[in-house]
Amino acid sequence: MQNLSTGTMSHRILLVDDEIDILEFVRYNLLKEGYEVFTAQNGAEALKAAAECRPHLILLDISLPFFDGYHWCRQIRKSSRVPIIFLSSAADNMNIVMAMNMGADDFIAKPFDRNVLMAKVQALLRR
């Protein structure tokens, strides 16, 4: 788990993705908006990070090593109601429906527009 912050103590976001390019792009944009960002590259790290940093929002990839994001979403849901947005290139209807049924609050298809991502993050954090 890596904690990266701009120094402002606003909302904590846990970003879980095994693709370094996506992780860095999203992390950079979240930091630019003033969020405190924690990162994980697999589900086990994500579960540990979620318990330690108590994020206000989790951005979770579906395709992760060992177990997929659905598995980790179910694990997180056992102890937390934190909003979860799935980020995935597997954006067919079946995956979107499955993500929502597993407890996700939203789904963003890769590749995604930075403005759409930020708008959805802000909308969930306003709740």
Side-chain angles (χ1 to χ4, degrees), residues 5 8-14 30 34-38 54-57 121-122 124-127:
S5 176
T8 60
M9 297 304 278
S10 62
H11 290 100
R12 293 180 304 278
I13 298 176
L14 174 58
L30 292 170
Y35 297 112
E36 186 176 3
V37 181
F38 296 82
R54 302 181 51 84
H56 297 104
L57 174 69
V121 165
Q122 291 166 0
L124 275 177
L125 289 173
R126 276 194 305 265
R127 292 186 187 171

mmCIF file of all heavy atoms in Angstrom, residues 5 8-14 30 34-38 54-57 121-122 124-127:
data_model
loop_
_atom_site.group_PDB
_atom_site.id
_atom_site.type_symbol
_atom_site.label_atom_id
_atom_site.label_comp_id
_atom_site.label_asym_id
_atom_site.label_seq_id
_atom_site.Cartn_x
_atom_site.Cartn_y
_atom_site.Cartn_z
ATOM 1 N N SER A 5 -0.246 11.929 -1.019
ATOM 2 C CA SER A 5 -1.169 13.014 -0.733
ATOM 3 C C SER A 5 -0.567 14.341 -1.141
ATOM 4 O O SER A 5 0.643 14.521 -1.143
ATOM 5 C CB SER A 5 -1.482 13.037 0.767
ATOM 6 O OG SER A 5 -2.295 14.146 1.075
ATOM 7 N N THR A 8 -3.357 18.142 1.511
ATOM 8 C CA THR A 8 -4.687 18.487 1.985
ATOM 9 C C THR A 8 -5.340 17.219 2.495
ATOM 10 O O THR A 8 -5.243 16.175 1.888
ATOM 11 C CB THR A 8 -5.553 19.088 0.856
ATOM 12 O OG1 THR A 8 -5.670 18.126 -0.177
ATOM 13 C CG2 THR A 8 -4.950 20.360 0.324
ATOM 14 N N MET A 9 -5.989 17.313 3.625
ATOM 15 C CA MET A 9 -6.611 16.140 4.208
ATOM 16 C C MET A 9 -8.093 16.135 3.874
ATOM 17 O O MET A 9 -8.926 16.475 4.687
ATOM 18 C CB MET A 9 -6.379 16.108 5.721
ATOM 19 C CG MET A 9 -4.915 15.997 6.108
ATOM 20 S SD MET A 9 -4.107 14.579 5.376
ATOM 21 C CE MET A 9 -4.598 13.316 6.507
ATOM 22 N N SER A 10 -8.390 15.794 2.644
ATOM 23 C CA SER A 10 -9.791 15.721 2.253
ATOM 24 C C SER A 10 -10.214 14.259 2.253
ATOM 25 O O SER A 10 -9.928 13.532 3.183
ATOM 26 C CB SER A 10 -9.985 16.368 0.882
ATOM 27 O OG SER A 10 -9.252 15.677 -0.110
ATOM 28 N N HIS A 11 -10.859 13.817 1.218
ATOM 29 C CA HIS A 11 -11.322 12.441 1.135
ATOM 30 C C HIS A 11 -10.175 11.488 0.826
ATOM 31 O O HIS A 11 -9.305 11.794 0.023
ATOM 32 C CB HIS A 11 -12.396 12.319 0.057
ATOM 33 C CG HIS A 11 -13.667 12.974 0.438
ATOM 34 N ND1 HIS A 11 -14.028 14.215 -0.023
ATOM 35 C CD2 HIS A 11 -14.668 12.563 1.245
ATOM 36 C CE1 HIS A 11 -15.199 14.538 0.484
ATOM 37 N NE2 HIS A 11 -15.615 13.553 1.262
ATOM 38 N N ARG A 12 -10.248 10.303 1.436
ATOM 39 C CA ARG A 12 -9.273 9.252 1.184
ATOM 40 C C ARG A 12 -9.842 8.308 0.129
ATOM 41 O O ARG A 12 -10.952 7.811 0.279
ATOM 42 C CB ARG A 12 -8.961 8.470 2.459
ATOM 43 C CG ARG A 12 -8.227 9.284 3.507
ATOM 44 C CD ARG A 12 -7.938 8.471 4.768
ATOM 45 N NE ARG A 12 -9.128 7.886 5.374
ATOM 46 C CZ ARG A 12 -9.971 8.538 6.182
ATOM 47 N NH1 ARG A 12 -9.762 9.810 6.474
ATOM 48 N NH2 ARG A 12 -11.027 7.920 6.696
ATOM 49 N N ILE A 13 -9.051 8.063 -0.906
ATOM 50 C CA ILE A 13 -9.469 7.170 -1.978
ATOM 51 C C ILE A 13 -8.449 6.048 -2.112
ATOM 52 O O ILE A 13 -7.247 6.293 -2.166
ATOM 53 C CB ILE A 13 -9.613 7.927 -3.314
ATOM 54 C CG1 ILE A 13 -10.708 8.994 -3.186
ATOM 55 C CG2 ILE A 13 -9.919 6.947 -4.458
ATOM 56 C CD1 ILE A 13 -10.876 9.866 -4.408
ATOM 57 N N LEU A 14 -8.959 4.830 -2.154
ATOM 58 C CA LEU A 14 -8.123 3.656 -2.393
ATOM 59 C C LEU A 14 -8.273 3.266 -3.851
ATOM 60 O O LEU A 14 -9.385 3.018 -4.323
ATOM 61 C CB LEU A 14 -8.535 2.501 -1.479
ATOM 62 C CG LEU A 14 -7.839 1.158 -1.718
ATOM 63 C CD1 LEU A 14 -6.327 1.283 -1.587
ATOM 64 C CD2 LEU A 14 -8.387 0.113 -0.757
ATOM 65 N N LEU A 30 -6.324 12.251 -9.287
ATOM 66 C CA LEU A 30 -6.943 12.364 -7.962
ATOM 67 C C LEU A 30 -6.147 13.303 -7.066
ATOM 68 O O LEU A 30 -6.720 14.136 -6.358
ATOM 69 C CB LEU A 30 -7.060 10.985 -7.308
ATOM 70 C CG LEU A 30 -8.051 10.018 -7.961
ATOM 71 C CD1 LEU A 30 -7.882 8.626 -7.369
ATOM 72 C CD2 LEU A 30 -9.482 10.512 -7.804
ATOM 73 N N GLY A 34 -6.895 17.134 -5.137
ATOM 74 C CA GLY A 34 -6.763 17.324 -3.698
ATOM 75 C C GLY A 34 -7.131 16.135 -2.836
ATOM 76 O O GLY A 34 -7.219 16.255 -1.614
ATOM 77 N N TYR A 35 -7.343 14.967 -3.446
ATOM 78 C CA TYR A 35 -7.684 13.779 -2.665
ATOM 79 C C TYR A 35 -6.432 13.138 -2.072
ATOM 80 O O TYR A 35 -5.349 13.234 -2.646
ATOM 81 C CB TYR A 35 -8.408 12.748 -3.538
ATOM 82 C CG TYR A 35 -9.724 13.243 -4.075
ATOM 83 C CD1 TYR A 35 -9.895 13.491 -5.425
ATOM 84 C CD2 TYR A 35 -10.800 13.471 -3.220
ATOM 85 C CE1 TYR A 35 -11.109 13.950 -5.923
ATOM 86 C CE2 TYR A 35 -12.012 13.928 -3.705
ATOM 87 C CZ TYR A 35 -12.154 14.168 -5.060
ATOM 88 O OH TYR A 35 -13.347 14.625 -5.536
ATOM 89 N N GLU A 36 -6.601 12.460 -0.966
ATOM 90 C CA GLU A 36 -5.541 11.640 -0.392
ATOM 91 C C GLU A 36 -5.672 10.272 -1.046
ATOM 92 O O GLU A 36 -6.748 9.673 -1.022
ATOM 93 C CB GLU A 36 -5.705 11.545 1.119
ATOM 94 C CG GLU A 36 -4.568 10.835 1.797
ATOM 95 C CD GLU A 36 -4.689 10.840 3.316
ATOM 96 O OE1 GLU A 36 -5.690 11.343 3.849
ATOM 97 O OE2 GLU A 36 -3.772 10.304 3.949
ATOM 98 N N VAL A 37 -4.598 9.775 -1.651
ATOM 99 C CA VAL A 37 -4.668 8.570 -2.468
ATOM 100 C C VAL A 37 -3.811 7.449 -1.883
ATOM 101 O O VAL A 37 -2.634 7.650 -1.591
ATOM 102 C CB VAL A 37 -4.211 8.855 -3.915
ATOM 103 C CG1 VAL A 37 -4.316 7.599 -4.776
ATOM 104 C CG2 VAL A 37 -5.017 9.999 -4.525
ATOM 105 N N PHE A 38 -4.427 6.284 -1.743
ATOM 106 C CA PHE A 38 -3.733 5.064 -1.352
ATOM 107 C C PHE A 38 -3.832 4.120 -2.541
ATOM 108 O O PHE A 38 -4.875 4.080 -3.204
ATOM 109 C CB PHE A 38 -4.394 4.423 -0.124
ATOM 110 C CG PHE A 38 -4.309 5.281 1.109
ATOM 111 C CD1 PHE A 38 -5.216 6.319 1.300
ATOM 112 C CD2 PHE A 38 -3.329 5.061 2.062
ATOM 113 C CE1 PHE A 38 -5.143 7.121 2.430
ATOM 114 C CE2 PHE A 38 -3.255 5.860 3.192
ATOM 115 C CZ PHE A 38 -4.156 6.890 3.377
ATOM 116 N N ARG A 54 -9.106 3.219 5.863
ATOM 117 C CA ARG A 54 -10.532 3.511 5.944
ATOM 118 C C ARG A 54 -10.940 4.548 4.887
ATOM 119 O O ARG A 54 -11.331 5.667 5.215
ATOM 120 C CB ARG A 54 -10.914 3.937 7.344
ATOM 121 C CG ARG A 54 -10.566 2.867 8.391
ATOM 122 C CD ARG A 54 -10.950 3.220 9.800
ATOM 123 N NE ARG A 54 -12.315 3.643 9.975
ATOM 124 C CZ ARG A 54 -13.358 2.834 10.135
ATOM 125 N NH1 ARG A 54 -13.182 1.547 10.158
ATOM 126 N NH2 ARG A 54 -14.578 3.328 10.296
ATOM 127 N N PRO A 55 -10.861 4.157 3.609
ATOM 128 C CA PRO A 55 -11.141 5.116 2.530
ATOM 129 C C PRO A 55 -12.608 5.533 2.479
ATOM 130 O O PRO A 55 -13.489 4.820 2.957
ATOM 131 C CB PRO A 55 -10.764 4.317 1.272
ATOM 132 C CG PRO A 55 -10.980 2.891 1.655
ATOM 133 C CD PRO A 55 -10.601 2.805 3.106
ATOM 134 N N HIS A 56 -12.821 6.693 1.878
ATOM 135 C CA HIS A 56 -14.169 7.190 1.642
ATOM 136 C C HIS A 56 -14.726 6.635 0.327
ATOM 137 O O HIS A 56 -15.930 6.689 0.091
ATOM 138 C CB HIS A 56 -14.168 8.719 1.579
ATOM 139 C CG HIS A 56 -13.754 9.348 2.859
ATOM 140 N ND1 HIS A 56 -12.506 9.905 3.042
ATOM 141 C CD2 HIS A 56 -14.403 9.487 4.039
ATOM 142 C CE1 HIS A 56 -12.419 10.377 4.275
ATOM 143 N NE2 HIS A 56 -13.552 10.133 4.901
ATOM 144 N N LEU A 57 -13.813 6.125 -0.545
ATOM 145 C CA LEU A 57 -14.188 5.592 -1.847
ATOM 146 C C LEU A 57 -13.105 4.631 -2.304
ATOM 147 O O LEU A 57 -11.922 4.856 -2.043
ATOM 148 C CB LEU A 57 -14.322 6.736 -2.861
ATOM 149 C CG LEU A 57 -14.567 6.372 -4.321
ATOM 150 C CD1 LEU A 57 -15.959 5.790 -4.517
ATOM 151 C CD2 LEU A 57 -14.389 7.594 -5.211
ATOM 152 N N VAL A 121 -16.520 10.269 -9.245
ATOM 153 C CA VAL A 121 -15.889 10.264 -7.919
ATOM 154 C C VAL A 121 -16.530 11.328 -7.039
ATOM 155 O O VAL A 121 -16.948 11.060 -5.907
ATOM 156 C CB VAL A 121 -14.356 10.476 -8.039
ATOM 157 C CG1 VAL A 121 -13.734 10.842 -6.700
ATOM 158 C CG2 VAL A 121 -13.686 9.236 -8.622
ATOM 159 N N GLN A 122 -16.638 12.537 -7.556
ATOM 160 C CA GLN A 122 -17.228 13.637 -6.787
ATOM 161 C C GLN A 122 -18.674 13.355 -6.419
ATOM 162 O O GLN A 122 -19.108 13.637 -5.301
ATOM 163 C CB GLN A 122 -17.103 14.947 -7.565
ATOM 164 C CG GLN A 122 -15.671 15.439 -7.668
ATOM 165 C CD GLN A 122 -15.493 16.535 -8.699
ATOM 166 O OE1 GLN A 122 -16.420 16.968 -9.369
ATOM 167 N NE2 GLN A 122 -14.242 16.982 -8.856
ATOM 168 N N LEU A 124 -20.193 10.417 -5.945
ATOM 169 C CA LEU A 124 -20.282 9.426 -4.877
ATOM 170 C C LEU A 124 -19.809 9.978 -3.538
ATOM 171 O O LEU A 124 -20.351 9.636 -2.491
ATOM 172 C CB LEU A 124 -19.503 8.161 -5.232
ATOM 173 C CG LEU A 124 -20.262 7.143 -6.058
ATOM 174 C CD1 LEU A 124 -19.376 5.973 -6.418
ATOM 175 C CD2 LEU A 124 -21.509 6.667 -5.346
ATOM 176 N N LEU A 125 -18.816 10.831 -3.565
ATOM 177 C CA LEU A 125 -18.300 11.396 -2.307
ATOM 178 C C LEU A 125 -19.253 12.437 -1.710
ATOM 179 O O LEU A 125 -19.179 12.711 -0.520
ATOM 180 C CB LEU A 125 -16.912 12.006 -2.520
ATOM 181 C CG LEU A 125 -15.813 10.973 -2.757
ATOM 182 C CD1 LEU A 125 -14.502 11.673 -3.122
ATOM 183 C CD2 LEU A 125 -15.623 10.071 -1.552
ATOM 184 N N ARG A 126 -20.144 12.988 -2.514
ATOM 185 C CA ARG A 126 -21.133 13.945 -1.987
ATOM 186 C C ARG A 126 -22.221 13.255 -1.154
ATOM 187 O O ARG A 126 -22.901 13.885 -0.371
ATOM 188 C CB ARG A 126 -21.801 14.696 -3.138
ATOM 189 C CG ARG A 126 -21.038 15.878 -3.629
ATOM 190 C CD ARG A 126 -21.890 16.770 -4.519
ATOM 191 N NE ARG A 126 -22.496 16.074 -5.642
ATOM 192 C CZ ARG A 126 -21.970 16.024 -6.863
ATOM 193 N NH1 ARG A 126 -20.818 16.596 -7.115
ATOM 194 N NH2 ARG A 126 -22.597 15.383 -7.838
ATOM 195 N N ARG A 127 -22.409 11.967 -1.359
ATOM 196 C CA ARG A 127 -23.484 11.238 -0.656
ATOM 197 C C ARG A 127 -23.239 11.160 0.825
ATOM 198 O O ARG A 127 -22.187 11.027 1.326
ATOM 199 C CB ARG A 127 -23.615 9.824 -1.187
ATOM 200 C CG ARG A 127 -24.137 9.789 -2.595
ATOM 201 C CD ARG A 127 -24.383 8.358 -2.979
ATOM 202 N NE ARG A 127 -24.719 8.261 -4.373
ATOM 203 C CZ ARG A 127 -24.823 7.127 -5.005
ATOM 204 N NH1 ARG A 127 -24.600 6.006 -4.397
ATOM 205 N NH2 ARG A 127 -25.142 7.099 -6.272
#
